[in-house]
Amino acid sequence: MFATLSNSWALVKASARVLSADKELLIFPVVSAIGALIVTATFAVPMVVADLFDSMLTGGSEGPLGYVVLFLFYVVQYTVIVFANAALVGAATIRLKGGDPTVGDGFRIAFAHLGQILGYAVIAATVGLILRWLSERGSLGRFVSSLVGLAWNLAVFLVVPVLVLEDVGPLEAVRRSTALLKKTWGEQIAGNFGLGAVFGLLFFGLILGGGGAIALLIAGGASLPLIIAVGLLLIVALLLTGLVQSALSAIYTAAVYQYAATGETGDFYKRELVAGAFKPART
């Protein structure tokens, strides 16, 4: 974990400089969010038929049909999300190397690796299904699921840049991602936690401020249209903040990969900022 919040803020600012140089990179998180919503809406009816919603709400186990639908949902959802992340990472890497990327460059890179992305989505969906099954096995199962999920997230931290920049298959990308982390910094990531901490404070501030404003308006007898307008502004602010966080996280991932693979971070990040983003493994 970062020693101080100032280091986390420096990381946010460095990633934001990349985003400021290419504001069109925000298009990729938007595509990811819209795609995820479309996929969820598309699978709504099959989930109802398979009683998935009931089992999720009650904590029960899915039947065979439920697991099949859930697996397909995971595959399509992961494909959409990883595709958008691959496009963003590809475009951000061009910028980190001194180029001037376009949205078309990002999509071109993602489409060129669509097969690997789909293969990785199948792997990720399988892991997700296993974690879901474990979480249904009581308290011990939920505990094991949490540990395995954490280990998986650490292992695949660099899998997207590896997929699109090294042109390897999904299994090799997972192996390579794990090897890069263990070889360079050990196993405990802090950089993304730093980003999460900063944006967590931003979200908290927005909710506290926006919620307080709405409460004051209601207490003061403000008109309903005004209260609704403030509520909508709060929702928009939260959505925009989430999109920016998603973009900065992917940009940071691209910078970490570039440092891990080449030892260079480009002009936007100080070397020690990226190199210090992980705790060394204890020996």
Side-chain angles (χ1 to χ4, degrees), residues 28-29 32 79-91 110 160-161 164 246-247 250:
F28 300 117
S32 178
T79 299
V80 169
I81 294 172
V82 175
F83 178 87
N85 280 342
L88 176 50
V89 167
V160 172
V164 301
S246 180

Side-chain angles (χ1 to χ4, degrees), residues 63-199:
L65 178 59
Y67 278 113
V68 170
V69 173
L70 193 60
F71 176 76
L72 293 175
F73 171 73
Y74 282 162
V75 169
V76 179
Q77 192 82 300
Y78 281 129
T79 299
V80 169
I81 294 172
V82 175
F83 178 87
N85 280 342
L88 176 50
V89 167
T93 300
I94 294 175
R95 171 58 65 182
L96 291 173
K97 291 182 177 180
D100 186 15
T102 65
V103 173
D105 289 328
F107 283 124
R108 174 181 52 79
I109 291 171
F111 273 116
H113 299 86
L114 186 57
Q116 293 104 307
I117 291 171
L118 181 57
Y120 173 68
V122 172
I123 295 173
T126 302
V127 173
L129 209 61
I130 293 172
L131 294 178
R132 171 72 182 173
W133 180 84
L134 285 172
S135 69
E136 296 169 351
R137 308 275 79 82
S139 299
L140 179 59
R142 287 191 292 272
F143 176 73
V144 173
S145 176
S146 298
L147 290 182
V148 174
L150 176 60
W152 172 253
N153 288 331
L154 293 177
V156 301
F157 181 70
L158 295 177
V159 77
V160 172
V162 170
L163 273 176
V164 301
L165 300 175
E166 296 190 9
D167 198 25
V168 298
L171 287 175
E172 176 61 20
V174 174
R175 188 201 66 78
R176 174 73 170 146
S177 173
T178 305
L180 283 172
L181 292 182
K182 288 184 177 180
K183 177 182 177 181
T184 311
W185 297 286
E187 301 178 5
Q188 190 165 357
I189 297 177
N192 252 13
F193 292 145
L195 280 170
V198 171
F199 276 91

